Structures are given as structure tokens and as C-alpha cells.
């Protein structure tokens, strides 16, 4: 079963040195996420959710402890190798979408493929497929400023999927959306998950979290609860 | 790598186009720097070509020098040479191979009812055509004996032959020049123009006759061919001594193609140095401007840099992105400078009726220099961008 572990976090701590005091963003996290899981992370603001997502997604390194992604020890990799991991194995979705405003929807989706060195025809084809999957076939050549929040976030999801990552990390993906658009994004996530894609999302919304299969609660940089979502709690 | 370079170029282009005014202003320093150098160099090359043509139209190739009456070109010269001086110089200076004598004159030639103004009515020695380059295609050139005996014979350019006689024979016909009638004995081969002078529209007569014609027995100019071209300065010096004693005057001067070109080159080098100094300063200022605007661009795009890193951009990719953008600004500025510079030079040259020559070496150098300015001043902002911590960049508001 070892093959199925996508994320393995062991005793991960993350401190920020603020002058004389050290802020403990994460105080010793242990976590294992297997393939095809749909995990929601909840917890009050400032409890370290984003920090944890950044560490899982290889954007940040822990102060101590170990991170394995697809059983690769992140510690041993240099910055370029981490960039390659982010490119190929991780798909980020942000609260504020973070699309590049000058690029059309399809070009935003192509961006990770460019960094992966994929040529234009293959890139176009892949990006088109992905935009179809997220239901934006008719908005491919629009710029972000011409898209609604929900549409923008779906472009961002397509971008996250570009290199067939091992895991999608979504930090409050519905935080900037109205409830209907948020609901649509979550349904999209559920559909992706049903295709076998592993997902971790951060949310404040219990309703949203209930759509996943597992809920992890953080408090002050520690895991305080880790439960399966039962049919009843849905 | 090459592939992503192309992608970076496309994106850099968009970034520049989305901020046209700012990009244009940033380019200004590079534009001015490149513009000034290109304008000067183009005019300079034109001046060189013009001077070369002028000297060549005097018939001074690299194997001879010109000896001309007068020292100061601002006053009309009073020639003091005579035909016998040719033999005298050849006798006194054995290093001389040949001397061509030439008296340029004006006037019109008439045949029947038709009158033409030739580009040159020259009195020349018998060796003129052989030594100055050229052939006779019909008839023959006049001989030394004909020169010595002051025969009224004439050799004409092909344009004149055609205008007077069409396709018919010219040799044997008689032409009027300043009241005298000359027998045509030859037609020269077509050679086109040298500088301002249309060689095909000249007529030449024996130099001894032209002396009559001009009302003086004095000669304007000699083209002296040394036996050994490497001794050109020594021969010149000897000729100077010999002739000074003979005519008791030093009111004559020498011209060599190399000598005049080197004077022009020296003046141009001084000017180029001066303008290059100014250009260097404006390129420096332009470069700093580019660096400044690139730092602004990095600051404006901190979040974008975070996003790019989050989706897999390596440091190298970010460096490339900003370097390409900086280089594009300066290269574009350079290209605009080159175009405007060449156009400006063209206008000036056209206005003064000089020769227009594009100095490709300068164009290539300007392109390389302007691209280098962007690369050099783009390095620091690009590395600042690449070194950004992605998490910090993503949190940046
Ligand atoms: N760059 C930083 N410097 C200092 N403290 C930070 C930094 N980033 C995050 N923190 C702190 O770490 C803690 C966790 O932050 P974060 O992971 O963003 O929380 P969450 O996403 O759960 O709201 C917070 O107390 C925050 O202030
Ligand atoms: Mg957060």
C-alpha cells in the first residue's frame, strides 16, 4: 500500500523569526494523504493552513521535519528540482485565482506546459481539453478581466491540472466566490476526485468541507482532529 | 531552451506593448545614443566615398599622385607649369615612370546645328587614356607627335558621339570648339561617371592646343606615376625640389588618394570619438533608465513572479523573462535609433548632395551594443526577481 501515499508529512515544524520572537506557524504536524483522497483542511485564521499547503506543495521548506511527495524526500532537492516538482506533481489553486491578466484563458492554462517544455501544438491541444473539462470551451480566448470569478477559478483549476499532477492543492478556492460559483467549483473538484485525482482544499466553510472525504482540523499549528466524512455528517 | 526563449520573447513583447508610452520613454536614451553614432558614421562614410570619388575623378588612383598648381584652394590658382616641364621632371627624377599632363577647360562643342556642353574639355598628353584608364572603341588616340605638333585633333566620349552622329561613324568628322575646327580621330569606350563627372561626355584635345585655347601656355595639373609606388613620398619630395628651383615658386601642391583619405579619416576619427563619447553617456543613462524601469516592473509583478514560481518556473526562467524584456527594450531602441539615424543621414546627405553609403559594420555594431546594454542593465533586476521567495511573493498585496 506504500505506493499509494502521495503526501507524507513527518513532525513538520515551521517557525518564522520575527525579530526576537519566533512565530510557530506549524508546531509538529504528522499527516499522510493517499491517492484519490479528497481532504479538507479547516481551522481558524492564522492557524497555519496556508503554511502547511505551501510546504506540501514544495513552495516552502519546513524548519524541521520531513516532507515526502510521491515518496520523494523534498529535503534532498535543490531549488530547481523543487520547481520541477511544483511544475509536474503539484497543481495550485488560489483564493484570488492568480491568473496572469495579460494572457488569455488558454494561455494561462498553457503556462505550466511552457515551463515543462511542451511544444505549442501539444500544449494547445492539452489546454483545450482541460478547458473543456472545466466547462469553459467557449471562453478559451477571453482574458481574465472578461471572466466571472467562478469562470476564472475554473481556468485556474484547468491550469493546475495541466501537467497531470499527483495532487491538487486549493487554498480557500471558494473564498472569493459567491455560494453558487463556490458550489460549482466544489462539484468540479468532486468530479475530478471521482476520476482519481488527489485533492487537498483549505476552507472555512463546513458545507464545502463536507463535500470531501476527510476533514483535518488545525489549531495553533497542530492537527487537532482528523475525521472521515460520514454519510451522516453530509 | 531556445523554445522557451521564443515564448519569453512573445510575453516580453506583450508586456512592452501594454505600456507603450513607458517603454518608448525608456528607450529614449538608447535611441539617442545609437541615433547619433549612426548618423555620424553614415555621413562620415558618405564623406569618405565622396572624397574618394573626387580624387578618383582627378585620376589619382593608388599608383599615382596629383601635382596641381596653387597651394591654397580658396583662391584660383595661377599655373606656372609648361609642357616642357614633363620632359624636364622625367629627366631630373628618374624614379618617375610616367607623367600625364592635364588642362581642364570648359566650352561647348558644335556639329552642324547641334551644340553640346561636354562634362570636360580637357587638354591632355598622349598617354592620358592609357594611364588614366580607358580605351578607344573607334579610331585611335592622338600620338605624342601630334601633341608636339599641335594638331587640331579630338577624341570624344561615346555619349557625345551618339548625340552628334547616332549610330554613324564619328571618326573623320569635324567638330567646332571655341571657333576652331577639330578633326575627330577617336571615340572613347563608355565608362560611366566618376563622382560628379560623366566620363562619357568628355572631349580631349592635345594639351598643346588647349594652351592656345585657354590663352596661356601654362598647365594646371600633372598625374605623376612613380616606378615604385612605395617610394611615392620620396618621389614627391624630389619633384618638389626640382620644380621649385625651375619655376622659382612653391605655389603648387600634391594630392594622393591615401593622403587625402587619411586626412578625412583623421577628422572623422576625431568626430567619431567625440560623438561616441556622447553616445556612450546617453547609452549609460539609457541603460540606467532601463534598469530602473525593470526594477519597477519587477515590483509591479511580484505576485506574478510568485504565481509563475508556484506553477513551476525555475529561477532561470524568471531571469530569462526579465532579461529578454530588458534586452527587447534596448534592442528596439537601438533599431529605432539605427533607422532614424540612417534616415537623418540620408536627408543631410541628400541636402548637401553627397554620397550615401550605409555602413553595415556600424549597423551591426549598434545592434550588438544596444542589445548588450539591455543585457547588462537587465541582469540586476532579473536576478532580484528570480531570487524572490515564492511564498512571500504570493502573499504580496
Ligand atoms: N512570512 C511570514 N512571516 C512571519 N509570520 C508569518 C509569515 N507567514 C505566515 N506567518 C504567520 O504564520 C501563521 C500561520 O499563517 P498562515 O499559514 O497563513 O495561516 P492561515 O492560512 O491558516 O490563515 C500566522 O500566525 C502568520 O502570521
Ligand atoms: Mg491562509
Amino acid at each position: 500500500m506504500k505506493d499509494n501515499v502521495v503526501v507524507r508529512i513527518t513532525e513538520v515544524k515551521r517557525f518564522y523569526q520575527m525579530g526576537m520572537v519566533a512565530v510557530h506557524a506549524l508546531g509538529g504536524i504528522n499527516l499522510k494523504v493517499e491517492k484519490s483522497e479528497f481532504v479538507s483542511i479547516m481551522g481558524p485564521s492564522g492557524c497555519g493552513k496556508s503554511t502547511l499547503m505551501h510546504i506540501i506543495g514544495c513552495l516552502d521548506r519546513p524548519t524541521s521535519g520531513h516532507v515526502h511527495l510521491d515518496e520523494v524526500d523534498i529535503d534532498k532537492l535543490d531549488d530547481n528540482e523543487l520547481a520541477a516538482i511544483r511544475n509536474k506533481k503539484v497543481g495550485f489553486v488560489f483564493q484570488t485565482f492568480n491568473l496572469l491578466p495579460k494572457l488569455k484563458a488558454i494561455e494561462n492554462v498553457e503556462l505550466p506546459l511552457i515551463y515543462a517544455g511542451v511544444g505549442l501544438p501539444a500544449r494547445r491541444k492539452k489546454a483545450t481539453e482541460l478547458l473543456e473539462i472545466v466547462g469553459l470551451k467557449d471562453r478559451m480566448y477571453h482574458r481574465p478581466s472578461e471572466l466571472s470569478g467562478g469562470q476564472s477559478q475554473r481556468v485556474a483549476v484547468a491550469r493546475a491540472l495541466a501537467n497531470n499532477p499527483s495532487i491538487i492543492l486549493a487554498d480557500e478556492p471558494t473564498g472569493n466566490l459567491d455560494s453558487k460559483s463556490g458550489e460549482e467549483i466544489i462539484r468540479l473538484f468532486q468530479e475530478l476526485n471521482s476520476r482519481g485525482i488527489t485533492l487537498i482544499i483549505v476552507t472555512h466553510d463546513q458545507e464545502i468541507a463536507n463535500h470531501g472525504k476527510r476533514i483535518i482540523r488545525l489549531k495553533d499549528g497542530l492537527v487537532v482532529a482528523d475525521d472521515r466524512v460520514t454519510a451522516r455528517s453530509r | 531552451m531556445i523554445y522557451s526563449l521564443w515564448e519569453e520573447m512573445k510575453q516580453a513583447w506583450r508586456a512592452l506593448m501594454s505600456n507603450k508610452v513607458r517603454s518608448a520613454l525608456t528607450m529614449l536614451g538608447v535611441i539617442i545614443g545609437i541615433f547619433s553614432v549612426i548618423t555620424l558614421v553614415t555621413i562620415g562614410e558618405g564623406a569618405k566615398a565622396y572624397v574618394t570619388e573626387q580624387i578618383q575623378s582627378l585620376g589619382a588612383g593608388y599608383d599615382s599622385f596629383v601635382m596641381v598648381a596653387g597651394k591654397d584652394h580658396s583662391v584660383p590658382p595661377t599655373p606656372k607649369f609648361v609642357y616642357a616641364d614633363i620632359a624636364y621632371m622625367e629627366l631630373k627624377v628618374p624614379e618617375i615612370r610616367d607623367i600625364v599632363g592635364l588642362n581642364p577647360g570648359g566650352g561647348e562643342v558644335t556639329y552642324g546645328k547641334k551644340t553640346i556642353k561636354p562634362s570636360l574639355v580637357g587638354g591632355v598628353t598622349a598617354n592620358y587614356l592609357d594611364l588614366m584608364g580607358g580605351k578607344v572603341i573607334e579610331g585611335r588616340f592622338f600620338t605624342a607627335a601630334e601633341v608636339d605638333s599641335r594638331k587640331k585633333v579630338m577624341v570624344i566620349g561615346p555619349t557625345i558621339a551618339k548625340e552628334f552622329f547616332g549610330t554613324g561613324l564619328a571618326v573623320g568628322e569635324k567638330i567646332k570648339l571655341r571657333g576652331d575646327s577639330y578633326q575627330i580621330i577617336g571615340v572613347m569606350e563608355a565608362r560611366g561617371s566618376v563622382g560628379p563627372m560623366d566620363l562619357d561626355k568628355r572631349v580631349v584635345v592635345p594639351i598643346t592646343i588647349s594652351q592656345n585655347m585657354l590663352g596661356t601656355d601654362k598647365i594646371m595639373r600633372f598625374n605623376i606615376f612613380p616606378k615604385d609606388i612605395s617610394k611615392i613620398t620620396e618621389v614627391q619630395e624630389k619633384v618638389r625640389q626640382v620644380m621649385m628651383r625651375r619655376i622659382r615658386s612653391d605655389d603648387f601642391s600634391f594630392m594622393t588618394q591615401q593622403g587625402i583619405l587619411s586626412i578625412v579619416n583623421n577628422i572623422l576619427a576625431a568626430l567619431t570619438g567625440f560623438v561616441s563619447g556622447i553616445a556612450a553617456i546617453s547609452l549609460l543613462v539609457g541603460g540606467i533608465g532601463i534598469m530602473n524601469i525593470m526594477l519597477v516592473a519587477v515590483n509591479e509583478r511580484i505576485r506574478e513572479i510568485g504565481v509563475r514560481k508556484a506553477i513551476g518556473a525555475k529561477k532561470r526562467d524568471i531571469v530569462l523573462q526579465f532579461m529578454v524584456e530588458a534586452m527587447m527594450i534596448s534592442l528596439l531602441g537601438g533599431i529605432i535609433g539605427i533607422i532614424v539615424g540612417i534616415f537623418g543621414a540620408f536627408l543631410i546627405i541628400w541636402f548637401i548632395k553627397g554620397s550615401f553609403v550605409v555602413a553595415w559594420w556600424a549597423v551591426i555594431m549598434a545592434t550588438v551594443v544596444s542589445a548588450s546594454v539591455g543585457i547588462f542593465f537587465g541582469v540586476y533586476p532579473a536576478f532580484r526577481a528570480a531570487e524572490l521567495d515564492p511564498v512571500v511573493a504570493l502573499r504580496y498585496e
Side-chain angles (χ1 to χ4, degrees), chain A residues 16 18 23 25 44-52 171-172, chain B residues 392 395:
Chain A
Y16 289 105
M18 301 286 283
V23 179
S45 183
C47 71
K49 306 181 295 293
S50 294
T51 305
L52 179 59
D171 194 347
E172 301 190 35
Chain B
V392 175
R395 283 183 195 264

Side-chain angles (χ1 to χ4, degrees), chain A residues 86-87 96 107 115 120, chain B residues 3 14 303 308-309 311:
Chain A
R86 291 196 295 270
N87 185 232
T96 51
E107 290 166 332
Y115 289 128
L120 182 66
Chain B
Y3 193 75
R14 276 196 225 184
R303 229 191 145 85
R308 285 179 184 269
K309 286 194 159 192
I311 62 176

Side-chain angles (χ1 to χ4, degrees), chain B residues 14-31:
Chain B
R14 276 196 225 184
L16 296 189
M17 285 302 120
S18 69
N19 235 326
K20 288 197 190 72
V21 174
R22 186 166 98 181
S23 306
L25 288 177
T26 311
M27 284 172 202
L28 217 52
V30 178
I31 293 178

Side-chain angles (χ1 to χ4, degrees), chain B residues 292-323:
Chain B
N292 178 50
I293 226 66
M294 288 314 294
L295 286 172
V296 171
V298 170
N299 262 335
E300 285 170 348
R301 285 190 250 159
I302 286 182
R303 229 191 145 85
E304 173 188 326
I305 294 161
V307 174
R308 285 179 184 269
K309 286 194 159 192
I311 62 176
K314 297 185 169 75
K315 272 185 190 162
R316 194 190 71 193
D317 297 313
I318 304 291
V319 168
L320 197 66
Q321 179 190 344
F322 285 93
M323 293 278 281

Side-chain angles (χ1 to χ4, degrees), chain B residues 65-72 81 85 88-90 92-93 95-96 99 222 224 231-256:
Chain B
F65 61 89
V66 171
M67 182 182 188
V68 63
K71 252 190 156 38
D72 185 351
F81 311 134
D85 290 343
Y88 183 75
M89 282 190 281
E90 284 176 338
K92 291 284 181 182
V93 187
E95 291 89 344
I96 292 176
I99 299 177
F222 297 121
I224 300 178
K231 301 243 164 62
I232 195 160
T233 11
E234 289 95 311
V235 175
Q236 238 175 53
E237 199 38 47
K238 273 196 167 175
V239 168
R240 182 197 309 282
Q241 300 295 338
V242 165
M243 286 310 287
M244 261 166 59
R245 248 175 282 137
R246 183 166 162 89
I247 63 173
R248 294 176 206 287
S249 161
D250 65 349
D251 188 25
F252 55 86
S253 49
F254 297 103
M255 286 187 272
T256 60

